[in-house]
Each structure stands twice: as C-alpha cells, then as structure tokens.
C-alpha cells in the first residue's frame, strides 16, 4: 500500500497539485487559520507533473465555487477533491472564470473600483500565463499583480 | 448593419475597424450636410469632474447646433458631489433628467461604472489617464481628412506617453490600419508596458526612442502631447521633464522632415510646440480641435438613434 505523504481525512476538501510556492498563499485564501477541524498542509512533495507540489487537506469543509475560483487565480493547475468517509465523491479541476467579480483587487490605485462601494471586476484575457483586464480601468494584471480581496 | 443607437462610448477597445470607419463616414456627412433640429427635445447632461475646455465646449456646441439642450456642470464644487454624494448616486439621479450623459472624471473606469448603472447612453469624455475615445475619433477623422487615408502611415507619438490618454486610445485605433508607430518620450514617461504588449499582439511595428533625431524624417504624422503637470505626484519628477521637447519650424527643418508631415496635438499646449509652427503646412492642431464638432455631432446623433 502506498504511504501517503500527508494523512487522509475522513470528510472535507483536498486541494492537490498546487504549485509548491503558492501553497501558503492558497492556505491564506482559504483562511485555514479559522478552521477548527483537522487541516494538513504539505509542501515540496514530489509530483510527476509539477516537479514539486503542495497539498492542503481541510477536514469538515466543502469548498464552494467562489473559493474554488479564488484558488484558480493563484494555482491554476490545482485540483479539488471532495471527500466523504475517506472516499473521493467529487473531483474537479479549478477553472478561472471568464469574469471575476469581487475577488481580485485592481492594482491601479486610481481605478474607480478602489473607491466607494464599487465591486472589483475583471475579464480573463489569457489563461496561461494568467492575465486579467480590469472591467473599469482596463489595466492588465499578471499573476504577480493579483491581490485578493 | 451597424447601429450605435443607445450605445455607450467608453473605450476604443470596444470598437472594431468597421465601426470606426462607419463613425468617420457619419462625421463626414455631418460636416458636408446641414443637419438641424434632429436633436430637438433631447437633453445632454455634461458632467465634468475635471477641467476641460475643448471637449466640454465642443460637446455643448455639437448638441446645440443640432437643436438639443445641455445641462450639467464644469466642476463638481457647486454640486451634491461636494457634499460627499457618490458617482453612482449622482448618475442614477441625473439619468432621469437627460437622454445622454457625457462624463469626464479623474478616476479611471468612472465612465464604465456609470454606463453599467444607467440606461441612457454614456459617453466617456476622459477617465483619468485611461481613455478618451471621442478625442480618438476626431484624431482619426483629422488624419483621414488631411492625409487622405488612414492606412499604413508612420506615426510618431511625442511627449507624455505614460499618462497621455489620447495617445493610448489613438495607438489602439491606428493598430487597425497597419500604422507603424514611433514612441518618443523621456524614460519615465514611456508608453506603459500593457499598451506596448497589446500593440505587439496586434502585430503593430513599434519603435521607442528618446528623441526625434533620425526618426523625424520618416514620419507622416507627429502626435505631440503636453507633459501633464497635474498627473505627477512628485514635483521634482515633473521638473526633470518639463520642456524636454520643443517643436519649432527650424527644428523640424533641421530634422529633414517630409514636406507633407502633419503635426497634431490634442491641446492645450504649453511649450512643446512653438508658435512659429502655427501658420505652416505642418500644423493641423487647430483644424483637429475644430473637427471635434462634426465628430461629436455624429456620436450624439448616432447614440440617440436619429441617424443610422
């Protein structure tokens, strides 16, 4: 039997195939500090596809679409597995949506979306490498410019 | 069939080549045909949160020449905005008083936000350093009228290419017409990376330089811009570049420019173009400013659906 680098969880979500360097950022997005159930974080694990990968397992939590979308922006190669009674009941790859609303802060300080109650909004213009165009000020953001709200 | 009825005019990125040519065609009709009364009973709200002379007055003139009416403000100090009213609330209220909104704002994306909120057409008259599409339409019209074509020209953009929104919009538009572009600026005012990448993605031949030396003689048009003091947070940075470019008749002749070179400028100028240029065949910037009237007539008439 294969030895797991990071122990299995009974119920919850597993985010796998995270680019290793982005693991803690993904952990931040998911606000794991607030979790009360088991949380396991692994970095620099061997991956056939990525060389080194990260993995996060969150007990008792089923990720919703908005959270998955956020992960997609930071770790576009990640996969999300939903676990029930140690079995994978749902498996999906993260996909950056065509329109991203209320997730990414526009990096342009003079953009109207950084003032008042305007909800930030971007359009996906390139998937890999990721490029987003602000709906309002039209600035193009790359992966390094992405700051989540 | 192209129709601009009820359409917002926010960014040149929202227009394809056919739509630009359509608008230039309507502009020509506006200049050659005496239209009156076609906007009778229509109200334009001109909301200028930033100072403007040419854009605001030419929109007002265009509307009034077509028998429309104008309401609005030239600065927000005497309005509810000074009391802290949000842009969203302002435009939601004002849309009930008018048929079309023309908006200039110091924040980038303001016109798009307004367009998302209201049901009347919104025309962007400049949003921060982002876009100024109606200036681009009149720039294109001026080039087409004076050079006889928009296709395959060598265009030099000179001055503040970082904050100069007219440059950003015009470069995008000219990309449709196979222009070769030369961007001449001091290092700290270069064309932003995003725009350069977008132009290269559109297969535009782009060149960057710090002076017109060796480049001037190749150009069909020089689009000169003012270095905008109001865009600099640090006055020391502004002082470093103030007056760095000064075009004059002797300088142009020294560069060996083409006889049919045309000099454009969105105005106002400060010291980047000497008055010795004004009476020459090179200078078309006052004609360019005058072209604001037929262009804005065409935009108003088409978005209000009275001309197809």
């Amino acid at each position: 039997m294969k030895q797991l680098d990071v122990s299995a969880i009974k119920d919850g979500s597993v985010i796998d195939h995270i680019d290793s360097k982005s693991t803690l950022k993904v952990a931040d997005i998911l606000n794991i500090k607030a979790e009360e159930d088991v949380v396991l974080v692994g970095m620099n694990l061997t991956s056939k596809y990525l060389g080194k990968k990260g993995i996060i397992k969150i007990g008792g939590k089923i990720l919703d679409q908005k959270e998955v979308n956020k992960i997609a922006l930071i770790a576009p190669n990640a996969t999300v597995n939903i676990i029930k009674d140690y079995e994978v009941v749902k498996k999906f790859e993260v996909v950056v949506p065509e329109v991203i609303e209320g997730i990414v802060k526009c990096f342009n300080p003079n953009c109207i979306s950084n003032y008042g109650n305007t909800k930030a909004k971007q359009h996906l213009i390139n998937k890999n490498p990721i490029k987003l165009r602000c709906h309002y000020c039209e600035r193009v953001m790359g992966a390094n410019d992405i700051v989540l709200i | 069939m192209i129709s601009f009825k009820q359409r917002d005019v926010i960014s040149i990125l929202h227009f394809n080549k056919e739509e630009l040519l359509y608008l230039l065609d309507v502009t020509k009709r506006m200049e050659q045909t005496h239209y009156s009364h076609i906007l009778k009973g229509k109200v334009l709200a001109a909301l200028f949160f930033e100072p403007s002379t040419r854009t605001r007055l030419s929109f007002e003139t265009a509307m009034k020449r077509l028998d429309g009416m104008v309401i609005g403000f030239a600065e927000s100090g005497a309005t509810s905005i000074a009391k802290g009213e949000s842009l969203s609330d302002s435009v939601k209220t004002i849309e009930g008083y008018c048929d079309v909104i023309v908006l200039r704002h110091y924040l980038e994306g303001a016109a798009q936000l307004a367009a998302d909120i209201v049901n009347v057409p919104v025309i962007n008259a400049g949003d921060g350093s982002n876009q100024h599409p109606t200036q681009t339409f009149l720039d294109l019209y001026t080039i087409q009228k004076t050079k006889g074509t928009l296709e395959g020209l060598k265009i030099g953009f000179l001055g503040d290419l970082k904050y100069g929104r007219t440059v950003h919009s015009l470069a995008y538009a000219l990309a449709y017409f196979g222009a070769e572009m030369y961007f001449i600026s001091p290092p700290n005012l270069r064309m932003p990376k995003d725009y350069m990448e977008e132009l290269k993605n559109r297969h535009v031949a782009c060149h960057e330089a710090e002076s017109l030396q060796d480049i001037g003689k190749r150009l069909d048009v020089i689009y000169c811009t003012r270095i905008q003091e109001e865009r600099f947070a640090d006055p020391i940075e502004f002082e470093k570049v103030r007056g760095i470019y000064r075009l004059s008749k002797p300088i142009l002749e020294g560069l060996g420019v083409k006889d049919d070179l045309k000099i454009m400028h969105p105005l106002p100028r400060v010291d980047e173009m000497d008055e010795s240029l004004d009476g020459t065949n090179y200078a078309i910037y006052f004609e360019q400013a005058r072209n604001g009237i037929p262009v804005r007539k065409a935009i108003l008439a088409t978005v209000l659906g009275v001309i197809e």
Side-chain angles (χ1 to χ4, degrees):
Chain A
M1 190 178 161
K2 190 188 168 196
Q3 173 75 41
L4 291 176
D5 288 321
V6 179
S7 305
I9 52 169
K10 184 169 183 285
D11 299 297
S13 303
V14 175
I15 304 101
D16 201 355
H17 302 108
I18 306 168
D19 169 31
S20 201
K21 287 177 190 157
S22 304
T23 311
L24 294 180
K25 216 167 179 182
V26 173
D28 252 0
I29 294 168
L30 298 172
N31 196 23
I32 59 167
K33 279 183 275 186
E35 295 298 330
E36 293 187 351
D37 209 324
V38 173
V39 177
L40 303 165
V41 178
M43 286 174 68
N44 296 329
L45 306 175
T46 308
S47 162
K48 260 191 264 177
Y49 307 105
L50 298 171
K52 284 181 177 177
K53 70 168 183 177
I55 190 166
I56 299 172
K57 300 186 177 187
I58 309 171
K61 178 168 182 165
I62 308 297
L63 294 182
D64 64 27
Q65 190 62 49
K66 192 171 175 187
E67 288 167 312
V68 170
N69 290 349
K70 283 188 180 183
I71 295 169
L73 293 162
I74 302 298
N77 299 312
T79 55
V80 176
N81 294 338
I82 306 300
I83 311 291
K84 262 196 178 167
D85 208 13
Y86 294 106
E87 296 290 327
V88 176
V89 292
K90 193 175 176 188
K91 188 168 189 154
F92 47 97
E93 289 182 2
V94 299
V95 178
V96 183
E98 293 296 317
V99 179
I100 299 133
E101 277 192 270
I103 296 175
V104 177
K105 182 179 158 63
C106 180
F107 74 145
N108 171 14
N110 209 33
C111 176
I112 192 131
S113 68
N114 288 317
Y115 292 82
N117 297 320
T118 309
K119 200 189 226 183
K121 183 175 173 181
Q122 294 87 21
H123 302 271
L124 178 68
I125 55 169
N126 200 55
K127 284 183 182 166
N128 199 6
I130 192 162
K131 281 193 178 176
L132 309 177
R133 188 193 302 281
C134 176
H135 174 68
Y136 298 102
C137 74
E138 303 185 327
R139 294 286 195 282
V140 175
M141 288 177 252
N144 293 335
D145 305 314
I146 292 177
V147 175
L148 299 170
I149 292 169
Chain B
M1 165 127 181
I2 297 170
S3 172
F4 282 6
K5 191 175 179 181
Q6 287 298 110
R7 182 165 177 175
D8 300 309
V9 180
I10 305 298
S11 165
I12 212 72
L13 289 176
H14 302 167
F15 291 83
N16 62 33
K17 183 176 180 178
E18 288 67 36
E19 289 169 331
L20 292 177
L21 289 171
Y22 163 75
L23 195 67
L24 298 183
D25 183 52
V26 178
T27 301
K28 197 173 171 187
R29 280 156 56 196
M30 281 290 166
E31 202 171 27
Q32 291 175 346
T33 313
H34 178 68
Y35 288 97
S36 59
H37 312 308
I38 60 172
L39 294 183
K40 195 172 175 63
K42 302 284 187 190
V43 177
L44 178 157
L47 315 182
F48 281 74
F49 292 80
E50 249 196 350
S52 164
T53 306
R54 274 152 294 277
T55 306
R56 184 171 62 82
L57 293 181
S58 63
F59 261 114
E60 290 191 14
T61 304
M63 192 69 186
K64 288 176 178 174
R65 289 249 192 254
L66 298 175
D67 262 7
M69 292 169 282
V70 180
I71 59 171
F73 50 82
E75 52 97 21
S76 56
T79 69
S80 291
I81 291 124
K83 299 175 193 162
E85 185 175 56
S86 69
L87 175 66
S88 307
D89 282 359
S90 299
V91 294
K92 264 187 248 176
T93 306
I94 293 164
E95 97 169 295
Y97 309 153
C98 66
D99 302 288
V100 56
I101 289 175
V102 172
L103 178 77
R104 171 170 287 191
H105 201 280
Y106 46 87
L107 289 176
E108 285 136 37
Q112 182 63 61
L113 175 68
D116 290 348
I117 291 170
V118 302
N119 291 316
V120 298
V122 174
I123 299 170
N124 184 5
D127 59 333
S129 63
N130 186 35
Q131 288 265 336
H132 192 356
T134 66
Q135 176 72 40
T136 303
F137 299 147
L138 77 87
D139 291 340
L140 290 174
Y141 186 66
T142 304
I143 295 171
Q144 188 188 50
K145 203 171 151 185
T146 53
K147 302 301 290 184
T149 180
L150 286 169
E151 297 288 343
L153 297 170
K154 289 184 169 60
I155 314 277
F157 294 93
L158 178 75
D160 175 2
L161 311 185
K162 182 177 179 183
Y163 300 108
R165 59 192 169 203
T166 57
V167 170
H168 305 159
S169 298
L170 182 58
Y172 275 167
L174 284 169
Y176 288 127
F177 300 95
E180 187 172 345
M181 301 186 198
Y182 295 79
F183 298 102
I184 306 122
S185 71
N188 56 341
L189 292 177
R190 286 170 68 176
M191 191 78 166
K193 192 168 61 95
D194 292 354
Y195 291 96
M196 291 301 282
E197 275 182 20
E198 180 79 27
L199 291 170
K200 282 173 187 165
N201 288 340
R202 295 182 185 199
H203 311 292
V204 175
C206 295
H207 314 271
E208 288 188 286
E210 288 180 36
S211 97
L212 278 168
Q213 201 65 43
D214 302 326
I215 292 174
K217 60 188 174 213
R218 298 184 214 162
L219 301 175
D220 299 303
V221 174
I222 295 177
Y223 194 92
C224 186
T225 61
R226 174 176 65 98
I227 294 181
Q228 304 172 84
E229 187 174 3
E230 65 272 26
R231 304 275 178 224
F232 283 79
D234 182 353
I236 297 167
E237 287 301 306
F238 174 68
E239 285 306 321
K240 283 184 197 166
V241 291
R242 179 206 285 263
I244 193 166
Y245 300 116
R246 289 175 196 271
L247 290 185
S248 66
K249 193 163 178 267
I251 285 176
L252 289 182
E253 286 165 354
L255 289 168
V257 299
K258 293 178 183 175
D259 288 343
D260 62 351
L261 168 76
K262 298 298 175 197
I263 309 284
M264 297 174 69
H265 194 300
L267 303 176
R269 65 175 159 184
V270 183
D271 50 14
E272 61 277 9
M273 287 186 318
D274 191 80
E275 286 181 11
S276 65
L277 276 173
D278 291 359
T280 67
N281 286 334
Y282 303 128
I284 55 169
Y285 30 87
F286 291 117
E287 180 182 347
Q288 182 186 354
R290 276 194 298 276
N291 286 335
I293 300 294
V295 163
R296 290 178 173 121
K297 277 183 179 176
I299 294 164
L300 291 168
T302 51
V303 301
L304 289 169
V306 299
I307 280 197
E308 290 288 347

